[in-house]
Amino acid sequence: MSLALSSPKTLSPFSFLCNPKPNPQIPKFATLNHNPDPIEHKSEHQTERGLKFDTGDTFFRHESATGRDLGILAATLYKKSRGKLRVLDALCGCGVRSLRYLVEAEADFVLANDGNVESRDVITANLSQVEEERWKVTLMDANRIMTECYLNRDFYDLIDIDSFGSDSSFLRSAINALRMDGLLYVTSTDGFSSGGRRPQQTLAAYGAYVRPMPYSNELGLRMLIGGVVRVASVMGYRVVPLFSYYSYHGPVFRVMLRVIRGKLPDSRHYGFISYCRDCGNSHEFSWEELGRICCPCSDSKVSMSLVVSGPLWTGPLHDAAYITDMLTLAKEWGWASSDTETDLDKLLNTMVAESDPRLPFGFINLDEVASRAKVNSPALKAVVAALQKEGYAVSRSHIESNALKTNCPMSECIRIAQELQQ
């Protein structure tokens, strides 16, 4: 595929690299649309959303289909609004995501890359269901392929990085290869770090010292967003979360971000979160408040019961309008239904509810409320109704089934739980 010679708007601030001189040290892309040397592999045929594909010996999870659904919906909305869509699938595995971007999101072009040379036959066989001029397969380190794309001015509208663990080394090269106002779909599967068990690891990977808190899986999403915020800010850009998705299998943390020009104003939504083990309340603190962090229940004194994590993203996890558009599209495609609610339908509706600007970060687990109230765990629907009756904002959490996001303090939640038992 020939590269455009015009000057596209890109996210890289370094204009002197837009027209790099040919470098014999940098090899050309390992294009494998035609496989010269077949590699034997086992055949594992699968079907997802009606598309048939082979996983071979690659790592594949059926449970990750929802994350792929969300990515396809976001990509389709981008194509509908911009009229074009170029996707870089940096760690494509067997190529099922690339195939779905081509067929369902109708991407104009997909660059499917994976570092495992033995996956080439599986990837090319799966993508061969689509016209060859719309895709290319490369077998390189993800950072290398994205850097080459940047140096060759081959920019993409959506870059999907389905990485393992807490590897954040891809972020800078991904932002460089992204077109202005493009979408970056990032991943973490490090549940130990989000649970506060590896604070040195989160500090190294995402620049955040994360300690154990009741809503650790939400911290995992905020830690991931915060890591991208930090890298993007250094490069002169800011990010806007479109949706943030947690799944317990793995676990998997996936976030779709729009990357735009301009730094985060006054470090807004990028700070510190505290949780008090005594009273059960959480608070947000800015950088200016460092050294003065305390909980009101301790009369503004230093308390050993206070746990602080950060810096990380403290703002909205989702864009309500964007998710509403995703839900509308899902219904058009039959992936969601107003009559019979599907899992995807429930997820998107819950995300919309979670987007209420009155709701703070974190959530309250009803088992914790029951323990503090010394009663049996109350029914979630009953607590929601009681909170709404008293004027509090409340929604279910897509992260944990027996938890609520609310602006109601823990003391009032305890009172309500006790009254519901009477």
Side-chain angles (χ1 to χ4, degrees), residues 49-181:
R49 294 294 183 190
L51 289 175
K52 295 181 180 180
F53 58 97
D54 184 7
T55 61
D57 296 315
T58 64
F59 179 77
F60 174 77
R61 273 200 180 112
H62 283 290
E63 298 88 348
S64 297
T66 299
R68 292 188 283 271
D69 286 346
L70 296 174
I72 298 303
L73 291 171
T76 304
L77 290 179
Y78 185 97
K79 174 73 181 285
K80 287 178 177 290
S81 64
R82 306 300 173 89
K84 60 181 179 59
L85 175 65
R86 302 184 80 242
V87 178
L88 197 166
D89 190 356
L91 298 162
C92 72
C94 67
V96 61
R97 282 190 311 276
S98 297
L99 178 61
R100 294 189 62 182
Y101 282 126
L102 286 164
V103 176
E104 296 169 324
E106 299 181 352
D108 300 287
F109 179 76
V110 171
L111 176 57
N113 178 74
D114 197 82
N116 185 4
V117 177
E118 295 182 357
S119 299
R120 64 185 184 186
D121 290 350
V122 172
I123 300 170
T124 53
N126 288 331
L127 298 188
S128 293
Q129 301 177 58
V130 182
E131 308 96 303
E132 285 194 9
E133 61 269 16
R134 292 177 56 201
W135 54 271
K136 179 185 290 185
V137 175
T138 57
L139 300 171
M140 294 185 183
D141 173 80
N143 273 319
R144 181 176 179 180
I145 190 65
M146 289 187 286
T147 299
E148 287 202 7
C149 288
Y150 163 59
L151 292 173
N152 286 283
R153 302 173 66 232
D154 185 23
F155 301 104
Y156 290 83
D157 303 297
L158 189 155
I159 297 180
D160 189 325
I161 307 176
D162 190 14
S163 54
F164 178 78
S166 55
D167 192 346
S168 59
S169 63
F170 307 111
L171 297 179
R172 178 180 284 271
S173 53
I175 293 174
N176 270 335
L178 195 63
R179 195 179 297 274
M180 182 71 71
D181 204 25

Side-chain angles (χ1 to χ4, degrees), residues 368-380:
E368 180 185 358
V369 175
S371 177
R372 289 177 179 274
K374 294 180 173 54
V375 297
N376 293 328
S377 187
L380 188 141

Side-chain angles (χ1 to χ4, degrees), residues 86-298:
R86 302 184 80 242
V87 178
L88 197 166
D89 190 356
L91 298 162
C92 72
C94 67
V96 61
R97 282 190 311 276
S98 297
L99 178 61
R100 294 189 62 182
Y101 282 126
L102 286 164
V103 176
E104 296 169 324
E106 299 181 352
D108 300 287
F109 179 76
V110 171
L111 176 57
N113 178 74
D114 197 82
N116 185 4
V117 177
E118 295 182 357
S119 299
R120 64 185 184 186
D121 290 350
V122 172
I123 300 170
T124 53
N126 288 331
L127 298 188
S128 293
Q129 301 177 58
V130 182
E131 308 96 303
E132 285 194 9
E133 61 269 16
R134 292 177 56 201
W135 54 271
K136 179 185 290 185
V137 175
T138 57
L139 300 171
M140 294 185 183
D141 173 80
N143 273 319
R144 181 176 179 180
I145 190 65
M146 289 187 286
T147 299
E148 287 202 7
C149 288
Y150 163 59
L151 292 173
N152 286 283
R153 302 173 66 232
D154 185 23
F155 301 104
Y156 290 83
D157 303 297
L158 189 155
I159 297 180
D160 189 325
I161 307 176
D162 190 14
S163 54
F164 178 78
S166 55
D167 192 346
S168 59
S169 63
F170 307 111
L171 297 179
R172 178 180 284 271
S173 53
I175 293 174
N176 270 335
L178 195 63
R179 195 179 297 274
M180 182 71 71
D181 204 25
L183 304 183
L184 182 60
Y185 201 16
V186 292
T187 312
S188 170
T189 62
D190 191 350
F192 284 102
S193 292
S194 64
R197 298 171 192 161
R198 296 173 180 169
Q200 297 297 335
Q201 171 67 20
T202 59
L203 188 62
Y206 303 109
Y209 196 86
V210 176
R211 301 178 64 193
M213 291 183 172
Y215 36 83
S216 61
N217 291 326
E218 182 171 317
L219 283 186
L221 293 171
R222 296 187 178 280
M223 174 183 71
L224 180 57
I225 299 171
V228 184
V229 167
R230 183 171 63 106
V231 174
S233 179
V234 171
M235 301 174 69
Y237 301 96
R238 63 189 178 96
V239 302
V240 178
L242 299 179
F243 65 79
S244 306
Y245 169 63
Y246 165 79
S247 177
Y248 67 88
H249 75 272
V252 177
F253 306 86
R254 298 228 67 183
V255 178
M256 182 69 78
L257 304 162
R258 175 176 286 128
V259 184
I260 57 181
R261 185 175 294 281
K263 293 186 178 181
L264 196 67
D266 302 322
S267 297
R268 186 165 59 95
H269 299 325
Y270 185 62
F272 300 83
I273 288 175
S274 74
Y275 169 75
C276 180
R277 289 189 290 258
D278 283 348
C279 68
N281 289 319
S282 297
H283 298 279
E284 175 186 349
F285 293 92
S286 66
W287 290 82
E288 291 77 10
E289 294 174 290
L290 288 178
R292 294 181 283 118
I293 294 179
C294 61
C295 183
C297 75
S298 62

